[in-house]
Amino acid sequence: MSQPDLKDELNATAVEPLLPIEKKLIGWSLGLGIGLLIVLIALNHFVPIKL
């Protein structure tokens, strides 16, 4: 059995553009993640954990 060449595989695959719903989901996910990160940073700043 011959091993497939990785370069040939990468060149053979056709790149499909993202669908509008996929772009929207990526945007919402990034926005939600960054927003929650900001909330957690602010919460940690104003209510620090005291050990």
Side-chain angles (χ1 to χ4, degrees):
M1 290 185 2
S2 64
Q3 293 287 336
D5 191 19
L6 184 59
K7 290 179 185 176
D8 293 337
E9 291 292 326
L10 288 175
N11 291 335
T13 57
V15 178
E16 297 180 12
L18 293 175
L19 296 173
I21 189 67
E22 291 173 327
K23 291 179 184 179
K24 189 180 282 191
L25 285 171
I26 291 170
W28 275 102
S29 298
L30 284 174
L32 183 63
I34 291 171
L36 287 174
L37 184 62
I38 291 170
V39 168
L40 287 174
I41 290 171
L43 186 65
N44 189 33
H45 179 72
F46 292 115
V47 187
I49 297 174
K50 297 174 185 169
L51 297 176

Coordinates of all heavy atoms in Angstrom, one line a residue:
M1 N 0.8 -1.2 0.0 CA 0.0 0.0 0.0 C 0.9 1.2 0.0 O 1.8 1.3 0.8 CB -0.9 0.0 1.2 CG -2.0 -1.0 1.2 SD -3.2 -1.1 2.5 CE -2.9 0.3 3.5
S2 N 0.6 2.2 -0.9 CA 1.4 3.4 -0.9 C 0.8 4.4 0.0 O -0.5 4.5 0.2 CB 1.4 3.9 -2.4 OG 0.1 4.3 -2.7
Q3 N 1.6 5.2 0.6 CA 1.2 6.3 1.5 C 0.8 7.5 0.7 O 1.5 7.9 -0.3 CB 2.4 6.7 2.4 CG 2.8 5.6 3.4 CD 1.7 5.5 4.5 OE1 1.0 6.4 4.8 NE2 1.7 4.3 5.1
P4 N -0.3 8.1 1.0 CA -0.7 9.3 0.2 C 0.2 10.5 0.6 O 0.6 10.6 1.8 CB -2.1 9.6 0.7 CG -2.3 8.9 2.0 CD -1.3 7.7 1.9
D5 N 0.6 11.3 -0.4 CA 1.5 12.4 -0.2 C 0.7 13.6 0.4 O -0.4 13.9 -0.2 CB 2.2 12.8 -1.5 CG 3.3 13.8 -1.3 OD1 3.8 13.9 -0.1 OD2 3.7 14.4 -2.2
L6 N 1.1 14.2 1.5 CA 0.4 15.2 2.1 C 0.2 16.5 1.2 O -0.8 17.1 1.2 CB 1.0 15.6 3.4 CG 0.3 16.7 4.3 CD1 -1.1 16.2 4.6 CD2 1.1 17.0 5.5
K7 N 1.3 16.8 0.4 CA 1.2 17.9 -0.5 C 0.1 17.7 -1.5 O -0.6 18.6 -1.9 CB 2.5 18.1 -1.1 CG 3.6 18.6 -0.2 CD 4.9 18.8 -0.9 CE 6.0 19.2 0.1 NZ 7.3 19.3 -0.5
D8 N 0.0 16.5 -2.1 CA -1.0 16.2 -3.0 C -2.4 16.3 -2.4 O -3.3 16.8 -3.1 CB -0.8 14.8 -3.6 CG 0.5 14.7 -4.5 OD1 1.0 15.8 -4.9 OD2 1.0 13.6 -4.6
E9 N -2.5 15.9 -1.2 CA -3.8 15.9 -0.6 C -4.3 17.4 -0.3 O -5.4 17.7 -0.5 CB -3.8 15.2 0.8 CG -3.7 13.7 0.6 CD -4.9 13.0 0.0 OE1 -6.0 13.5 0.3 OE2 -4.8 12.1 -0.7
L10 N -3.3 18.2 0.1 CA -3.7 19.6 0.4 C -4.0 20.4 -0.9 O -4.9 21.2 -0.9 CB -2.5 20.3 1.1 CG -2.3 19.9 2.6 CD1 -1.0 20.5 3.1 CD2 -3.5 20.2 3.4
N11 N -3.3 20.1 -2.0 CA -3.6 20.7 -3.2 C -4.9 20.2 -3.9 O -5.5 20.9 -4.6 CB -2.4 20.5 -4.2 CG -1.2 21.3 -3.8 OD1 -1.3 22.3 -3.1 ND2 0.0 20.8 -4.2
A12 N -5.3 19.0 -3.6 CA -6.5 18.4 -4.2 C -7.8 18.9 -3.5 O -8.8 18.9 -4.2 CB -6.4 16.9 -4.1
T13 N -7.7 19.3 -2.3 CA -8.9 19.7 -1.6 C -9.4 21.1 -2.1 O -8.6 22.0 -2.1 CB -8.8 19.7 -0.1 OG1 -7.7 20.6 0.3 CG2 -8.5 18.3 0.4
A14 N -10.6 21.2 -2.4 CA -11.2 22.5 -2.8 C -11.7 23.2 -1.6 O -12.3 22.7 -0.7 CB -12.3 22.3 -3.8
V15 N -11.3 24.5 -1.5 CA -11.7 25.3 -0.3 C -13.0 25.9 -0.6 O -13.2 26.6 -1.6 CB -10.6 26.4 -0.1 CG1 -11.1 27.3 1.1 CG2 -9.3 25.8 0.2
E16 N -14.0 25.7 0.2 CA -15.3 26.2 0.0 C -15.5 27.5 0.9 O -15.0 27.5 2.0 CB -16.4 25.2 0.4 CG -16.4 24.0 -0.4 CD -17.4 23.0 0.1 OE1 -18.3 23.4 0.8 OE2 -17.4 21.8 -0.4
P17 N -16.1 28.5 0.3 CA -16.3 29.7 1.1 C -17.3 29.5 2.3 O -18.1 28.6 2.2 CB -16.9 30.7 0.1 CG -17.5 29.9 -0.9 CD -16.7 28.6 -1.0
L18 N -17.2 30.2 3.3 CA -18.1 30.1 4.5 C -19.5 30.5 4.1 O -19.7 31.5 3.4 CB -17.6 30.9 5.7 CG -16.3 30.4 6.3 CD1 -15.9 31.4 7.4 CD2 -16.4 29.0 6.9
L19 N -20.5 29.8 4.6 CA -21.9 30.3 4.5 C -22.1 31.5 5.4 O -21.4 31.7 6.4 CB -22.8 29.1 4.8 CG -22.7 27.9 4.0 CD1 -23.6 26.8 4.6 CD2 -23.1 28.2 2.6
P20 N -23.1 32.3 5.0 CA -23.4 33.4 5.9 C -23.8 33.0 7.3 O -23.4 33.7 8.2 CB -24.6 34.1 5.2 CG -24.5 33.6 3.8 CD -23.9 32.3 3.8
I21 N -24.4 31.9 7.5 CA -24.8 31.5 8.9 C -23.5 31.1 9.6 O -23.4 31.3 10.8 CB -25.8 30.4 8.9 CG1 -26.4 30.1 10.3 CG2 -25.3 29.1 8.2 CD1 -27.2 31.2 10.8
E22 N -22.6 30.5 8.9 CA -21.3 30.2 9.6 C -20.5 31.4 10.0 O -20.0 31.4 11.1 CB -20.5 29.3 8.6 CG -21.0 27.9 8.4 CD -20.3 27.2 7.3 OE1 -19.7 27.8 6.4 OE2 -20.2 25.9 7.4
K23 N -20.5 32.4 9.2 CA -19.9 33.7 9.5 C -20.5 34.3 10.7 O -19.9 34.8 11.6 CB -19.9 34.7 8.3 CG -19.0 34.2 7.2 CD -19.1 35.2 6.0 CE -18.3 34.8 4.8 NZ -18.4 35.7 3.7
K24 N -21.9 34.3 10.7 CA -22.6 34.8 11.9 C -22.3 34.1 13.1 O -22.1 34.7 14.2 CB -24.1 34.8 11.6 CG -25.0 35.5 12.6 CD -26.4 35.5 12.2 CE -26.7 36.4 11.1 NZ -28.2 36.6 10.8
L25 N -22.3 32.7 13.1 CA -22.0 31.9 14.3 C -20.6 32.2 14.8 O -20.3 32.3 16.0 CB -22.1 30.4 13.9 CG -23.6 29.9 13.8 CD1 -23.6 28.5 13.3 CD2 -24.3 30.0 15.2
I26 N -19.6 32.3 13.9 CA -18.2 32.7 14.3 C -18.2 34.0 15.0 O -17.6 34.2 16.0 CB -17.3 32.6 13.1 CG1 -17.1 31.2 12.6 CG2 -15.9 33.2 13.4 CD1 -16.4 31.0 11.2
G27 N -18.9 35.0 14.4 CA -18.9 36.3 15.0 C -19.6 36.3 16.4 O -19.0 36.9 17.3
W28 N -20.7 35.6 16.5 CA -21.3 35.5 17.8 C -20.5 34.8 18.8 O -20.4 35.2 20.0 CB -22.7 34.8 17.7 CG -23.8 35.8 17.3 CD1 -24.3 35.9 16.0 CD2 -24.5 36.7 18.1 NE1 -25.3 36.8 16.0 CE2 -25.5 37.3 17.3 CE3 -24.4 37.0 19.4 CZ2 -26.3 38.3 17.8 CZ3 -25.3 38.0 19.9 CH2 -26.2 38.6 19.1
S29 N -19.8 33.8 18.4 CA -19.0 33.0 19.4 C -17.8 33.9 19.8 O -17.5 33.9 21.0 CB -18.5 31.7 18.7 OG -19.5 30.9 18.3
L30 N -17.2 34.5 18.9 CA -16.0 35.4 19.3 C -16.5 36.6 20.2 O -15.9 36.9 21.2 CB -15.3 36.0 18.1 CG -14.4 35.0 17.3 CD1 -13.9 35.6 16.0 CD2 -13.3 34.6 18.2
G31 N -17.6 37.2 19.8 CA -18.2 38.3 20.6 C -18.6 37.8 22.0 O -18.3 38.5 23.0
L32 N -19.2 36.7 22.1 CA -19.6 36.2 23.4 C -18.4 35.8 24.3 O -18.4 36.1 25.5 CB -20.5 35.0 23.2 CG -21.1 34.3 24.5 CD1 -22.0 35.3 25.2 CD2 -21.8 33.1 24.1
G33 N -17.4 35.2 23.7 CA -16.2 34.8 24.4 C -15.5 36.0 24.9 O -15.1 36.1 26.1
I34 N -15.3 37.0 24.1 CA -14.6 38.2 24.5 C -15.4 39.0 25.5 O -14.8 39.5 26.5 CB -14.2 39.1 23.3 CG1 -13.2 38.4 22.4 CG2 -13.7 40.5 23.7 CD1 -12.9 39.1 21.1
G35 N -16.7 39.0 25.3 CA -17.5 39.7 26.3 C -17.5 39.1 27.7 O -17.4 39.7 28.7
L36 N -17.6 37.7 27.7 CA -17.5 37.0 29.0 C -16.1 37.2 29.6 O -16.0 37.2 30.9 CB -17.9 35.6 28.8 CG -19.3 35.3 28.5 CD1 -19.5 33.8 28.2 CD2 -20.2 35.7 29.7
L37 N -15.1 37.2 28.8 CA -13.8 37.4 29.4 C -13.6 38.8 30.0 O -13.1 38.9 31.1 CB -12.7 37.2 28.3 CG -11.3 37.3 28.7 CD1 -10.9 36.2 29.7 CD2 -10.4 37.2 27.5
I38 N -14.2 39.8 29.4 CA -14.2 41.1 30.0 C -15.0 41.1 31.3 O -14.5 41.7 32.3 CB -14.7 42.2 29.0 CG1 -13.7 42.3 27.8 CG2 -15.0 43.5 29.7 CD1 -14.2 43.1 26.7
V39 N -16.1 40.5 31.3 CA -16.9 40.4 32.6 C -16.2 39.7 33.7 O -16.1 40.2 34.8 CB -18.3 39.7 32.3 CG1 -19.0 39.3 33.6 CG2 -19.2 40.5 31.4
L40 N -15.5 38.6 33.4 CA -14.7 37.9 34.4 C -13.5 38.7 34.9 O -13.2 38.7 36.1 CB -14.2 36.6 33.8 CG -15.3 35.5 33.7 CD1 -14.7 34.3 32.9 CD2 -15.9 35.1 35.0
I41 N -12.9 39.4 34.0 CA -11.8 40.3 34.4 C -12.3 41.4 35.3 O -11.7 41.7 36.4 CB -11.0 40.9 33.2 CG1 -10.3 39.7 32.5 CG2 -10.1 42.0 33.6 CD1 -9.7 40.2 31.2
A42 N -13.4 42.0 35.0 CA -14.0 43.1 35.8 C -14.4 42.5 37.2 O -14.2 43.1 38.2 CB -15.1 43.7 35.1
L43 N -15.0 41.4 37.2 CA -15.5 40.7 38.4 C -14.3 40.4 39.3 O -14.4 40.7 40.5 CB -16.3 39.5 38.1 CG -16.9 38.8 39.2 CD1 -18.0 39.6 39.9 CD2 -17.5 37.4 38.8
N44 N -13.2 39.9 38.7 CA -12.0 39.6 39.5 C -11.4 40.9 40.0 O -10.8 40.9 41.1 CB -11.0 38.8 38.6 CG -9.9 38.3 39.4 OD1 -10.0 38.0 40.6 ND2 -8.7 38.3 38.8
H45 N -11.5 42.0 39.3 CA -10.9 43.2 39.8 C -11.7 43.8 41.0 O -11.1 44.3 41.9 CB -10.9 44.2 38.6 CG -10.3 45.6 39.0 ND1 -9.0 45.8 39.2 CD2 -10.9 46.8 39.2 CE1 -8.8 47.0 39.6 NE2 -10.0 47.7 39.5
F46 N -13.0 43.8 40.9 CA -13.9 44.4 41.9 C -14.1 43.4 43.1 O -14.4 43.9 44.2 CB -15.2 44.9 41.3 CG -15.0 46.0 40.4 CD1 -15.3 45.9 39.0 CD2 -14.5 47.2 40.8 CE1 -15.1 46.9 38.2 CE2 -14.3 48.3 40.0 CZ -14.6 48.1 38.6
V47 N -14.1 42.1 42.9 CA -14.4 41.2 43.9 C -13.2 40.1 43.9 O -13.4 39.0 43.4 CB -15.7 40.5 43.7 CG1 -16.1 39.6 44.9 CG2 -16.8 41.5 43.5
P48 N -12.1 40.5 44.4 CA -10.9 39.5 44.4 C -11.2 38.4 45.4 O -11.9 38.5 46.4 CB -9.7 40.4 44.8 CG -10.3 41.5 45.5 CD -11.7 41.8 45.0
I49 N -10.6 37.3 45.1 CA -10.6 36.1 46.0 C -9.6 36.3 47.1 O -8.4 36.6 46.8 CB -10.3 34.8 45.2 CG1 -11.4 34.6 44.1 CG2 -10.3 33.6 46.2 CD1 -11.1 33.4 43.2
K50 N -10.0 36.2 48.3 CA -9.2 36.4 49.5 C -8.9 35.0 50.1 O -9.8 34.4 50.6 CB -9.8 37.3 50.5 CG -10.0 38.7 49.9 CD -10.8 39.6 50.9 CE -11.0 40.9 50.2 NZ -11.9 41.7 51.0
L51 N -7.7 34.6 50.0 CA -7.3 33.3 50.6 C -6.8 33.4 52.0 O -6.0 34.2 52.4 CB -6.3 32.6 49.7 CG -6.8 32.3 48.3 CD1 -5.6 31.7 47.5 CD2 -7.9 31.3 48.4

